[in-house]
Amino acid sequence: MSHPVKLGLIGCGVAARELHWPALQAAAEEVELVAVCNRTAQKAQHFSAMAGGVDWYVGWEELLARPDIEAVDIVLPATENLLATRAALKAGKHVLVEKPLAPTAEQAQAMLDLAQAWPDRVTMVAENFRYAAVFERMRNWLDSGEAGRPYALNWNAMMLMREDNRYISSGWRASEAFPGGLVLDAGVHYMAVVRDLLGDITRATASPSQINPHLGRYDGAAFALQTASGATANINLYFSVAAHSEWRLVLLAEKGSATYDGRTLIITDASGKAREWRRDDDDGYASELRAFTRAIRSGKPVSSSFAAGWRDMLPIVRTMAAPGEWVDLR
């Protein structure tokens, strides 16, 4: 790469500070943060100071007007993704937007329309699981043929997310503008992994639940999925679990299995021989940022496109609209 991509950050909240800023530091050889903006001046100033005194703005208009800024990292509530993305593309910027792509199917379609209207711009969803090293190892294991045909994936993600959690307390996930609640916001991570490992999701059903209204219309769901490869997946995703905590993925294939608990990946072959890896990255945040900047310089399409972001949303949006029913997603 000839020189780092000059980047503007839109949104200086907790995700920007704790997730995106460390990734920007890790990828400093490929991306240079030159300005930030936030509707609250205090947050913008704080982030600017943390980032070494980069320029800061209240609102994104001045930031987008700067000709030296090539791209923007939009780290806002999903309810604002469409408005911010449209403004950034009109200003000639490449766009990395925090997942999920949109709060509704209608806004997701509008995001897809924007990507088609500006084909010379890189438009990418920040789905970090798609770039996490552990899932890349699992994909490589399947692609090598060593595992044979994968036929089932089971994933239990059960935890307690309190209303005062720093990622929850802003409240937008429980607003009427975001009808999928925390199940949509977090669930796209799990759908992205299923799609990357087993192929596109063709049919799905879900039984949603709401225990804590502060987490949105839905704060839990059991998903059953069928994929293009013929493999099935079951995801139990619950965020208001008072007396149990579990996060474990199990992938079954003809000639082996893989398990991952968020810390350790174990791949076992048919003979019982196991290989083990400890998680050694930031769950893909730096890698997704590097993929974004390299696409800007190379012109090659990204794997986490707006279209991919929509397909990650699709099983959740469609099944939440028809709880308990099997929905065809082809």
Side-chain angles (χ1 to χ4, degrees):
M1 185 175 292
S2 56
H3 56 87
V5 169
K6 292 187 179 298
L7 184 81
L9 179 72
I10 299 177
C12 298
V14 61
R17 295 192 305 271
E18 296 188 2
L19 303 175
H20 287 243
W21 172 234
L24 285 163
Q25 293 174 287
E29 73 283 0
E30 298 186 25
V31 60
E32 178 187 358
L33 181 65
V34 297
V36 301
C37 69
N38 196 83
R39 68 182 63 178
T40 304
Q42 184 178 10
K43 283 188 177 180
Q45 289 175 308
H46 174 74
F47 201 109
S48 169
M50 183 175 64
V54 300
D55 295 337
W56 64 271
Y57 304 97
V58 176
W60 58 60
E61 293 81 6
E62 289 181 275
L63 184 149
L64 293 177
R66 286 182 47 164
D68 62 321
I69 292 178
E70 302 171 74
V72 291
D73 181 10
I74 299 172
V75 194
L76 296 172
T79 50
E80 299 185 46
N81 281 353
L82 178 58
L83 187 62
T85 297
R86 181 183 292 120
L89 289 172
K90 285 184 175 180
K93 314 304 182 187
H94 302 281
V95 172
L96 175 66
V97 62
E98 184 54 70
K99 62 81 199 165
L101 177 67
T104 64
E106 293 75 19
Q107 288 196 32
Q109 182 58 58
M111 292 286 277
L112 296 176
D113 292 343
L114 287 175
Q116 291 180 348
W118 276 276
D120 60 328
R121 301 287 94 185
V122 175
T123 47
M124 178 175 164
V125 179
E127 175 45 71
N128 59 289
F129 274 25
R130 187 160 275 128
Y131 297 92
V134 66
F135 298 122
E136 182 178 2
R137 288 192 179 101
M138 293 177 72
R139 284 195 300 271
N140 291 340
W141 175 60
L142 294 176
D143 291 344
S144 73
E146 174 189 340
R149 181 180 64 87
Y151 61 88
L153 181 150
N154 289 279
W155 205 337
N156 287 342
M158 305 174 186
M159 63 203 75
L160 179 61
M161 297 287 285
R162 301 183 185 277
E163 60 189 87
D164 60 353
N165 181 285
R166 63 189 184 280
Y167 285 94
I168 300 298
S169 58
S170 59
W172 62 267
R173 295 168 183 84
S175 70
E176 291 185 4
F178 194 74
L182 191 54
V183 168
L184 174 60
D185 182 41
V188 291
H189 284 314
Y190 302 85
M191 299 300 170
V193 173
V194 169
R195 294 181 58 243
D196 284 358
L197 295 179
L198 302 181
D200 218 4
I201 299 167
T202 55
R203 295 184 75 232
T205 186
S207 299
S209 63
Q210 185 198 61
I211 303 301
N212 181 0
H214 294 284
L215 301 183
R217 182 178 299 178
Y218 301 116
D219 61 357
F223 291 95
L225 312 170
Q226 296 178 0
T227 69
S229 67
T232 60
N234 290 282
I235 302 174
N236 295 307
L237 191 62
Y238 294 97
F239 295 103
S240 294
V241 183
H244 181 73
S245 179
E246 181 179 355
W247 199 96
R248 180 176 172 84
L249 179 156
V250 179
L251 176 63
L252 305 178
E254 293 174 317
K255 301 176 183 178
S257 66
T259 64
Y260 180 53
D261 64 2
R263 299 176 301 276
T264 305
L265 169 66
I266 300 174
I267 293 178
T268 306
D269 66 21
S271 71
K273 180 181 178 181
R275 291 169 290 170
E276 183 175 314
W277 295 268
R278 297 286 292 181
R279 183 171 72 87
D280 57 359
D281 73 343
D282 62 352
D283 278 333
Y285 287 101
S287 292
E288 75 180 0
L289 189 60
R290 291 189 180 98
F292 177 57
T293 59
R294 290 170 185 175
I296 292 171
R297 291 291 182 251
S298 70
K300 294 181 180 179
V302 294
S303 59
S304 195
S305 63
F306 279 13
W310 164 236
R311 295 300 300 186
D312 296 341
M313 284 179 59
L314 184 60
I316 303 171
V317 172
R318 293 288 190 246
T319 58
M320 294 296 99
E325 298 181 16
W326 278 96
V327 179
D328 194 331
L329 304 176
R330 287 169 288 192

